[in-house]
Amino acid sequence: MTQTKIQLEENEIPKQWYNVVADMPNPPTPPLGPDGNPIGPEALAPLFPMALIEQEVSGERWIDIPEKVREMYAIWRPTPMFRAHRLEQALGTPAKIYYKYEGVSPAGSHKPNTALPQAYYNAEAGIKRLSSETGAGQWGSALSLVGKWFGLDVVIYMVKVSYDQKPFRRSMMHTWGAEVFSSPTDQTEAGRTILEKDPESLGSLGIAISEAVEVAAANKDTNYSLGSVLNHVLLHQTIIGLEAKKQFEKVGDYPDMIFAPCGGGSNFAGVAFPFFADKAAGKKIQLVAVEPTSCPTLTKGTYAYDFGDAIGLTPLMKMYTLGHDFMPPGIHAGGLRYHGDSALVSQLYHEGLIEAIAVPQIATFEAGVQFAQTEGIIPAPEANHAIRACIDEALRCKESGEPKTLFFNLSGHGHFDMAAYDSFFSGELEDFEYPEEDIQASLRNLPRVG
Amino acid sequence: MTQTKIQLEENEIPKQWYNVVADMPNPPTPPLGPDGNPIGPEALAPLFPMALIEQEVSGERWIDIPEKVREMYAIWRPTPMFRAHRLEQALGTPAKIYYKYEGVSPAGSHKPNTALPQAYYNAEAGIKRLSSETGAGQWGSALSLVGKWFGLDVVIYMVKVSYDQKPFRRSMMHTWGAEVFSSPTDQTEAGRTILEKDPESLGSLGIAISEAVEVAAANKDTNYSLGSVLNHVLLHQTIIGLEAKKQFEKVGDYPDMIFAPCGGGSNFAGVAFPFFADKAAGKKIQLVAVEPTSCPTLTKGTYAYDFGDAIGLTPLMKMYTLGHDFMPPGIHAGGLRYHGDSALVSQLYHEGLIEAIAVPQIATFEAGVQFAQTEGIIPAPEANHAIRACIDEALRCKESGEPKTLFFNLSGHGHFDMAAYDSFFSGELEDFEYPEEDIQASLRNLPRVG
């Protein structure tokens, strides 16, 4: 019988996360405060527990996963890796295609990989409540899922337009016991300020972040939790790539190229960083971040210090950015609509150690449908970006005759994104031109540093 | 580390299905034709390929699973079995609770376990197209998923009210390449007859069946495919229980009681029949079918010959029935709204070899939410019935101090049923009184046989 699924046993769940900082040729750039000077760990203390702050600044290569976290990872981990036999056949490619499927988590994406340890460390620190924001709802779902397991209340500020248009992600969060508010609310200074100016405001991720941070800063028993971008979030996600390496070992194979969607960077880092360790040790492997042409942070942005949020409340991080007030078009891959990128991913890209490409929306859905019809799983729109890039490479292999081993992260299922597939089938989906002028305008507003 | 997930390797996927007929104390009752005489296999030939008809009437205990089917089962099988540690703890029960999770299939339920072999045997027989009906959409999704893998076109007649109200199950079917029609259509005699009488007809499962059967009967290259009730469907689903037995062996445990939702019977049979083999050999085990109080087929119906469909087109089957024109209230567990039950399940129940209980709707959602908050997965409304029954037993164990081993089939996830959870949270969900009068009225219309 041809092997389709490469599984690991529960006791093969990695015991440590991998910290890419240890293998980077240069130390990571520091975040800067409003005064332009590097901020210390203490600046983060009102929002995060010390254990996470230590991870955020750690240079250690390996960081132990607490036994309790490993035990609870087992609810959905190890996740399966698949050989895409039927997709390969449909493409007629000599390439071998593998994918790791993170949609088996109860929340349906890779996001719980970091929500779980974040909840654990906060509960250990005596915190009673976590606040966060969510746009399309994947991160909010992940945090809501894990809260109850550690006796934590979870409060989610969901961007109003999504709250109204994506009721089922909201229902999921309710089912797991979270409080979900349509942001802007009148509970916070930030929300009230916005509502005063525009009572009909549809909200934005920037506003929702402000509300969640304000609530965490103002309440001693409440901390804030972030779903991407930060070093500790990327660290937790490396469990994906660490498992994948064991799975490749099991079948005696190794990828030539890895593809992952890239928004804030934790999806890409999660699968690619553990392989970067091999690359740093001299192994030949290409690590490719895939982003939408409508929000081409790495491929068209500038490497500069910028704010992480739209309003300018966060510390400044050195990253590829389209400018913090760049507003990407309303594509369906909500998780990839971010003006910036993780500092670690940005630095590795700047140093030429990883690659990036941008793909247009309609082509990503074409790839997603081809994948669904051959492999079965209906992918999330974010994951369709990696699939598109991987299929394109497999087709190049068909031309050249190269039997490359390709690997991508199928970071989530599309069960809550079927309206996007409907738009695709009805021909309503649009490709957005690279909005050069908008980006240039937005880049003119970059903060001046040093 | 406490073990949470009990997995099998791909090569442990069973090589044979289990046929309960071999272990039944009495031969199965035959289906009858319109003349009241038993029908032979040839009566089924216009709709089904010979391989499936042979399985339908087989008395062999073990039936080989074709190698190709095993290979493709591996896309989602073996499915994981879980020990529900956190649910046990929340209940404070000495009982051990295990569940098998069938929601990992790309269609999100156990239905592809039979859709896959049905597509395989039809393709082998040279069939080019499969037609079927779907209500809420789970069966239609399953058949749509597998069609393309065997080069088969799939046409689904979806009950109009569901077609309009559950657009995302329809989108799933489209994504997998199926044609989905809102039934009644003007393509069939059956549909046109209905539309002539009522152009605004919302459709029904009975009408959709008539359309799908008519299309299959009228086209040589088209066969019909059914998602439950029939013997061969139950046979294919036994892969669930066969895997579960191996998984219990791995942890050195064995269930005292098994719970599964019961609509047409394939969900229950799939998990319970392989354990019935042990019961027939003298082992003590309770097999409990769980149905809604609003459609209490086994617990309040009559054991009699009746039609399988609402209109009276199918052969007569001896089964527990509420009367073929009984219209159950519109509960959210659409898969359990069936007036009858599989002939095999009915016979075993009639002979006192299996048990049945009925549970009210609101209590099933309370159980589902408690499950989601402890175990993570949000269950389908059908699965909530098994969870309710299992939790009730676990609470009895708490009273009595008995450390029973309980096992239920988590037959699917609820990602496409979040509106039902919303109704629950908003207090709009209703419990339906056992509609004694309706059932009595409907039972007066049972066909007279013999």
Side-chain angles (χ1 to χ4, degrees):
Chain A
M1 189 160 110
T2 322
Q3 189 173 14
T4 293
K5 194 159 52 178
I6 304 135
Q7 291 190 125
L8 298 174
E9 292 293 321
E10 193 164 306
N11 60 21
E12 291 176 288
I13 292 175
K15 295 190 169 155
Q16 299 175 307
W17 293 297
Y18 167 72
N19 183 3
V20 77
V21 171
D23 288 316
M24 284 167 58
N26 295 300
T29 57
L32 305 181
D35 59 358
N37 291 320
I39 58 166
E42 71 291 345
L44 301 170
L47 298 183
F48 302 101
M50 202 40 70
L52 289 177
I53 296 174
E54 281 167 13
Q55 292 179 359
E56 187 65 23
V57 299
S58 171
E60 294 295 315
R61 180 171 285 106
W62 296 105
I63 291 178
D64 287 344
I65 303 177
E67 201 50 25
K68 181 75 187 163
V69 171
R70 276 190 80 220
E71 199 179 302
M72 304 195 74
Y73 267 156
I75 297 166
W76 69 95
R77 309 207 67 84
T79 62
M81 188 161 98
F82 290 88
R83 172 81 185 272
H85 291 295
R86 292 173 306 287
L87 176 60
E88 291 171 18
Q89 211 174 357
L91 296 171
T93 179
K96 285 183 281 184
I97 301 176
Y98 295 87
Y99 58 96
K100 181 90 168 151
Y101 183 40
E102 291 292 310
V104 293
S105 82
S109 80
H110 64 296
K111 292 286 185 192
N113 294 335
T114 183
L116 178 64
Q118 287 193 44
Y120 168 82
Y121 289 118
N122 274 291
E124 287 287 295
I127 290 298
K128 301 293 177 211
R129 190 168 68 144
L130 291 177
S131 74
S132 195
E133 70 288 337
T134 202
Q138 291 205 339
W139 169 243
S141 305
L143 201 64
S144 303
L145 165 69
V146 301
K148 274 267 186 287
W149 292 341
F150 297 98
L152 295 170
D153 290 334
V154 172
V155 53
I156 301 290
Y157 294 87
M158 187 172 187
V159 178
K160 183 177 189 328
V161 60
S162 295
Y163 185 93
D164 294 340
Q165 286 177 1
K166 306 210 165 182
F168 295 145
R169 277 276 169 199
R170 184 191 358 142
S171 316
M172 261 188 130
M173 295 185 257
H174 279 155
T175 302
W176 285 316
E179 276 192 295
V180 187
F181 295 108
S182 173
S183 166
T185 71
D186 58 5
Q187 303 165 10
T188 64
E189 269 302 310
R192 284 188 294 268
T193 308
I194 299 289
L195 288 174
E196 256 167 51
K197 278 193 273 185
D198 177 10
E200 304 301 313
S201 166
L202 294 177
S204 74
L205 208 53
I207 298 166
I209 292 176
S210 304
E211 292 208 272
V213 168
E214 183 181 325
V215 164
N219 292 280
K220 236 190 145 99
D221 67 349
T222 305
N223 264 350
Y224 173 67
S225 193
L226 195 66
S228 190
V229 178
L230 296 181
N231 299 359
H232 69 272
V233 179
L234 274 58
L235 175 78
H236 301 153
Q237 292 293 357
T238 61
I239 194 147
I240 304 172
L242 292 167
E243 283 183 8
K245 287 177 82 168
K246 291 189 189 192
Q247 285 161 312
F248 273 114
E249 257 173 51
K250 291 223 170 191
V251 290
D253 211 338
Y254 191 88
D256 295 301
M257 294 180 80
I258 297 181
F259 304 89
C262 195
S266 75
N267 188 330
F268 170 75
V271 69
F273 279 4
F275 291 89
F276 179 80
D278 297 345
K279 189 180 170 84
K283 189 127 185 162
K284 197 170 164 287
I285 181 170
Q286 289 177 268
L287 308 173
V288 185
V290 189
E291 56 187 19
T293 48
S294 54
C295 188
T297 315
L298 293 171
T299 52
K300 302 278 185 182
T302 295
Y303 189 51
Y305 269 102
D306 197 3
F307 296 109
D309 66 326
I311 297 171
L313 298 174
T314 70
L316 292 165
M317 287 176 294
K318 187 141 190 199
M319 59 182 176
Y320 279 84
T321 177
L322 298 167
H324 61 274
D325 53 3
F326 173 74
M327 182 62 73
I331 58 167
H332 286 283
L336 306 183
R337 289 179 72 239
Y338 184 57
H339 71 276
D341 213 317
S342 133
L344 295 179
V345 169
S346 294
Q347 185 166 336
L348 289 172
Y349 181 64
H350 185 65
E351 296 179 353
L353 298 168
I354 62 171
E355 300 166 38
I357 57 173
V359 292
Q361 177 163 251
I362 294 173
T364 64
F365 276 87
E366 285 166 354
V369 169
Q370 182 169 30
F371 182 84
Q373 294 193 354
T374 50
E375 295 296 311
I377 298 162
I378 297 179
E382 290 82 1
N384 285 343
H385 288 69
I387 299 173
R388 176 74 271 161
C390 185
I391 287 179
D392 287 345
E393 184 64 31
L395 292 173
R396 276 189 291 274
C397 289
K398 186 179 181 178
E399 292 294 312
S400 68
E402 283 172 290
K404 283 188 186 172
T405 297
L406 310 177
F407 174 46
F408 70 87
N409 193 27
L410 183 56
S411 48
H413 61 61
H415 298 170
F416 292 89
D417 303 286
M418 295 314 300
Y421 281 88
D422 282 346
S423 298
F424 169 70
F425 286 119
S426 66
E428 288 162 28
L429 217 59
E430 285 179 71
D431 277 342
F432 294 94
E433 292 295 309
Y434 157 53
E436 178 81 55
E437 276 175 39
D438 292 4
I439 293 174
Q440 290 313 321
S442 190
L443 287 177
R444 280 193 289 273
N445 294 333
L446 281 182
R448 283 171 210 185
V449 177
Chain B
M1 188 160 109
T2 323
Q3 190 173 12
T4 294
K5 193 159 53 177
I6 304 136
Q7 290 192 123
L8 298 175
E9 292 294 321
E10 193 163 305
N11 60 21
E12 291 175 287
I13 292 175
K15 296 189 169 157
Q16 299 175 307
W17 293 297
Y18 167 72
N19 184 3
V20 76
V21 171
D23 288 316
M24 284 166 60
N26 295 300
T29 57
L32 306 180
D35 58 359
N37 291 320
I39 60 165
E42 70 291 347
L44 301 170
L47 298 182
F48 302 102
M50 201 41 68
L52 289 177
I53 296 173
E54 281 166 13
Q55 292 178 359
E56 188 64 23
V57 300
S58 171
E60 296 294 316
R61 181 171 284 105
W62 296 104
I63 292 179
D64 287 344
I65 303 177
E67 200 51 23
K68 181 75 188 164
V69 172
R70 276 190 78 221
E71 199 180 303
M72 302 194 74
Y73 268 156
I75 297 166
W76 70 93
R77 309 206 68 84
T79 62
M81 188 161 98
F82 290 88
R83 171 81 185 273
H85 291 296
R86 291 172 307 285
L87 177 60
E88 291 171 19
Q89 210 175 355
L91 297 171
T93 180
K96 285 183 280 184
I97 301 176
Y98 294 87
Y99 58 96
K100 181 90 167 150
Y101 183 41
E102 291 291 309
V104 292
S105 82
S109 80
H110 64 297
K111 292 287 183 191
N113 295 335
T114 183
L116 178 65
Q118 288 193 43
Y120 168 82
Y121 289 117
N122 274 291
E124 288 287 296
I127 289 298
K128 301 292 177 212
R129 191 168 69 144
L130 291 177
S131 75
S132 195
E133 70 288 338
T134 202
Q138 291 205 339
W139 169 242
S141 304
L143 200 65
S144 302
L145 165 69
V146 301
K148 274 269 185 285
W149 292 341
F150 297 98
L152 295 169
D153 290 334
V154 172
V155 53
I156 301 290
Y157 294 88
M158 186 172 188
V159 178
K160 184 177 190 322
V161 61
S162 295
Y163 186 92
D164 294 340
Q165 286 178 0
K166 305 210 164 184
F168 295 144
R169 276 274 170 201
R170 183 188 4 139
S171 315
M172 259 187 132
M173 295 184 258
H174 280 155
T175 303
W176 286 316
E179 275 191 297
V180 187
F181 296 108
S182 174
S183 167
T185 73
D186 59 3
Q187 304 165 9
T188 64
E189 270 302 308
R192 284 188 294 268
T193 307
I194 298 290
L195 287 174
E196 257 168 47
K197 279 194 272 185
D198 177 10
E200 305 300 314
S201 166
L202 294 178
S204 74
L205 208 54
I207 297 166
I209 292 175
S210 305
E211 293 208 272
V213 168
E214 183 180 325
V215 164
N219 293 280
K220 238 193 143 92
D221 67 350
T222 305
N223 265 350
Y224 174 68
S225 194
L226 194 67
S228 190
V229 177
L230 296 181
N231 299 359
H232 68 272
V233 179
L234 274 58
L235 175 79
H236 300 155
Q237 292 292 357
T238 61
I239 193 147
I240 304 172
L242 292 167
E243 284 183 7
K245 287 177 82 168
K246 292 190 190 193
Q247 285 160 313
F248 273 114
E249 258 173 50
K250 291 223 170 192
V251 292
D253 211 338
Y254 192 87
D256 295 300
M257 297 180 78
I258 297 180
F259 303 89
C262 195
S266 73
N267 187 331
F268 170 76
V271 68
F273 280 3
F275 291 88
F276 178 81
D278 297 344
K279 188 180 170 86
K283 188 126 187 163
K284 196 169 165 288
I285 181 170
Q286 289 177 267
L287 308 172
V288 186
V290 189
E291 55 187 21
T293 47
S294 54
C295 189
T297 315
L298 293 170
T299 52
K300 302 279 185 182
T302 295
Y303 189 50
Y305 270 101
D306 197 2
F307 297 109
D309 66 326
I311 297 172
L313 298 173
T314 69
L316 292 164
M317 288 176 294
K318 186 139 189 200
M319 60 180 178
Y320 279 85
T321 177
L322 298 167
H324 61 274
D325 53 3
F326 173 74
M327 182 61 75
I331 57 168
H332 286 283
L336 306 183
R337 290 178 70 238
Y338 184 57
H339 71 276
D341 212 319
S342 134
L344 296 179
V345 169
S346 295
Q347 184 166 335
L348 289 173
Y349 181 64
H350 186 64
E351 296 179 353
L353 298 169
I354 61 171
E355 301 166 38
I357 57 174
V359 291
Q361 177 162 252
I362 293 173
T364 64
F365 276 88
E366 284 166 355
V369 169
Q370 183 169 30
F371 182 83
Q373 294 193 354
T374 50
E375 294 297 310
I377 299 162
I378 297 178
E382 291 82 2
N384 284 343
H385 287 69
I387 298 173
R388 176 76 270 160
C390 186
I391 287 178
D392 287 346
E393 184 63 32
L395 292 173
R396 276 189 292 273
C397 289
K398 185 179 180 177
E399 293 293 314
S400 67
E402 282 173 289
K404 283 189 186 172
T405 297
L406 310 178
F407 174 46
F408 69 86
N409 192 26
L410 183 58
S411 48
H413 62 61
H415 298 170
F416 293 89
D417 302 286
M418 295 314 301
Y421 281 88
D422 281 345
S423 299
F424 170 69
F425 286 118
S426 67
E428 287 162 28
L429 217 59
E430 285 180 71
D431 276 341
F432 295 94
E433 292 295 309
Y434 159 53
E436 179 81 54
E437 276 174 38
D438 291 4
I439 293 174
Q440 291 312 322
S442 190
L443 288 176
R444 281 192 287 275
N445 295 333
L446 281 182
R448 281 169 211 189
V449 176

